[in-house]
Amino acid sequence: MRIALVTWSFDEHQGISRCVAELSARLAPAHEVHVFAAEVAVPARPGVQLHRVGLRWPQPHVNDYDFAWRAGAQVRAGGFDLVHAHFPVWCRTHVYTCHGLARMALRSFRRFPLPARHDVSLRRMARWYAQVPLHTQALRRAGPVLAAVSRKVAAEVAQDSGRPLHQVRVVANGTDLQRFHPGLRATLGAAARAEWGLADDRFVLLWVGNHLRHKGLRHALDVLQRLPERALLLVVGADSADSVPELAAPIATLQAAGRLRFLPCEPRIERCYAAADALLFPSLYESFGLVVLEAMACGLPVATARTVALADEAIADGHNGLLVEAPWQTEALAARLQRLMTDAAWRDAIGRAARRSAEAYTWEAHAHAYESLYREVAGSAWPAAGAARHAA
């Protein structure tokens, strides 16, 4: 079967991009798979044909509409048997996966208590509103089967699309349990800590992501300030401290004390998990939370909030992670982490339970769920079992 996957970007580290990369690789042995993307950072996996969609407009979120039109034209011209969109596209789509809704995120931000709205003010979030009509149009079309990456997003999709909740399929993201596993601490941890100047007596909290404001860096810094001095925060991502000038004072103080480090994107992100003692991730809104899943797969205790969908759906506070209701509850997060710093047996037990929970989320299960959905959509057009992959 000839399958087209549509995504804004294609790389190996951003959440949606990773999903498409992993899905395409697992579909390729049995199907002719084409991926259409505006931004291409890595080559496609073997057997996958990658098409870059050129854009005319450089402005962020304005070019979302340009991509939807131009990608749609390319997909229509390809005459595919099945089109699976991970981003709105103007062509016939058989499956549309929603990785989060700007409208619902913005609505949740407006319900934050006033002091917590600083990072998601109307001025900061104005560009997000430009996405709303495009995504609403994609959800309210009659044709595609709608899928969501979590129960949280499924409920949001049902509300925004007007469809019954039972018609929205939940297909959770996965992780590579061989790449991310507890043994990394022994094989990679010491070398990574030495390379980054992390002393053995430091309790290293890891924060991973782009968009420092939306991912809750302000709250992570507040948590760090409440912890003993041996706690250090390692911030890994594309954004530098200069992107949050309003946090310059606490950043400078913590850096001067040797308690805060910024690292650029690390292609081998598993080295970061291996070097850390816990993941601190007080994000303001996450439709899934791939970083949380990867850390759990590594047996790393995760301190986060229910605003992260995976945490809300998979973490039991004190059993396989540390969970508070909201990211601004920094005193409660700090209290849990302080116990984690002093109770090694509890820390190890949480790490083991986290790994067991993560084992339910694999890319193989993810791809199998979508193949089952494709089979349902395609009906009699689906190739018989054992049929050879369509020639490229």
Side-chain angles (χ1 to χ4, degrees):
M1 177 164 282
R2 300 183 70 244
I3 299 174
L5 303 177
V6 183
T7 178
W8 175 263
S9 60
F10 188 84
D11 59 47
E12 298 284 355
H13 63 276
Q14 297 185 72
I16 300 174
S17 304
R18 176 84 67 80
C19 293
V20 175
E22 299 290 351
L23 175 61
S24 64
R26 285 160 179 79
L27 293 174
H31 306 279
E32 179 184 329
V33 181
H34 297 250
V35 175
F36 295 82
E39 297 177 353
V40 175
V42 296
R45 308 279 183 90
V48 178
Q49 299 182 51
L50 185 55
H51 308 268
R52 185 166 189 164
V53 179
L55 302 180
R56 295 165 294 185
W57 308 103
Q59 295 89 345
H61 302 310
V62 174
N63 56 18
D64 291 351
Y65 292 83
D66 191 26
F67 174 76
W69 175 257
R70 293 170 72 85
Q74 291 189 32
V75 172
R76 287 194 301 271
F80 293 97
D81 301 315
L82 189 139
V83 178
H84 181 181
H86 294 256
F87 190 90
V89 59
W90 283 320
C91 68
R92 184 188 179 197
T93 302
H94 299 87
V95 178
Y96 176 69
T97 294
C98 185
H99 292 264
L101 288 175
R103 182 199 298 273
M104 296 306 177
L106 292 165
R107 184 176 297 174
S108 71
F109 295 159
R110 290 196 296 269
R111 292 196 293 264
F112 284 3
L114 193 59
R117 294 185 205 167
H118 186 280
D119 293 321
V120 288
S121 64
L122 178 61
R123 175 178 62 85
R124 296 195 192 283
M125 306 307 298
R127 285 197 237 175
W128 281 40
Y129 285 92
Q131 297 181 351
V132 170
L134 184 63
H135 289 265
T136 298
Q137 178 270 343
L139 289 177
R140 295 183 182 178
R141 292 170 61 187
V145 172
L146 299 181
V149 296
S150 63
R151 296 196 300 272
K152 170 191 178 77
V153 174
E156 294 175 347
V157 167
Q159 182 179 350
D160 206 39
S161 67
R163 296 197 195 184
L165 180 59
H166 68 83
Q167 290 185 5
V168 182
R169 313 301 178 86
V170 177
V171 181
N173 296 335
T175 192
D176 184 336
L177 295 174
Q178 282 68 53
R179 180 183 178 189
F180 301 103
H181 61 86
L184 293 175
R185 187 172 183 86
T187 58
L188 300 178
R193 287 177 75 113
E195 178 182 337
W196 298 325
L198 307 175
D200 291 342
D201 62 344
R202 287 289 195 180
F203 188 86
V204 178
L205 295 168
L206 177 66
W207 184 102
V208 179
N210 302 320
H211 310 296
L212 301 182
R213 295 186 181 95
H214 306 157
K215 303 291 184 178
L217 181 65
R218 175 189 304 277
H219 306 303
L221 296 180
D222 192 40
V223 169
L224 182 62
Q225 290 172 317
R226 296 172 182 272
L227 291 174
E229 290 188 1
R230 75 182 185 95
L232 178 148
L233 182 64
L234 184 65
V235 177
V236 181
D239 296 331
S240 70
D242 294 338
S243 66
V244 281
E246 68 275 15
L247 298 178
I251 286 174
T253 298
L254 290 165
Q255 285 180 322
R259 302 188 62 200
L260 177 63
R261 294 282 307 278
F262 283 82
L263 288 181
C265 288
E266 168 58 50
R268 295 180 62 201
I269 191 64
E270 60 270 26
R271 297 179 70 228
C272 299
Y273 298 126
D277 296 291
L279 179 77
L280 176 58
F281 195 64
S283 181
L284 306 184
Y285 175 91
E286 292 292 325
S287 58
F288 184 78
L290 201 55
V291 168
V292 169
L293 179 57
E294 291 172 352
M296 292 174 70
C298 291
L300 202 61
V302 174
T304 185
R306 292 192 184 278
T307 45
V308 176
L310 178 67
D312 188 39
E313 296 171 14
I315 290 181
D317 182 37
H319 170 64
N320 60 347
L322 310 176
L323 191 63
V324 296
E325 290 295 320
W328 51 86
Q329 294 177 324
T330 54
E331 186 174 354
L333 271 175
R336 286 162 170 77
L337 283 168
Q338 188 152 1
R339 180 186 169 189
L340 202 73
M341 292 176 66
T342 57
D343 191 338
W346 188 52
R347 183 168 68 245
D348 291 345
I350 288 177
R352 289 192 298 271
R355 170 65 187 192
R356 289 194 296 271
S357 298
E359 288 172 353
Y361 299 85
T362 67
W363 290 122
E364 288 71 26
H366 177 85
H368 178 74
Y370 273 124
E371 277 206 284
S372 297
L373 186 53
Y374 297 165
R375 187 177 297 110
E376 179 182 328
V377 169
S380 60
W382 187 260
R389 181 170 66 88
H390 209 292

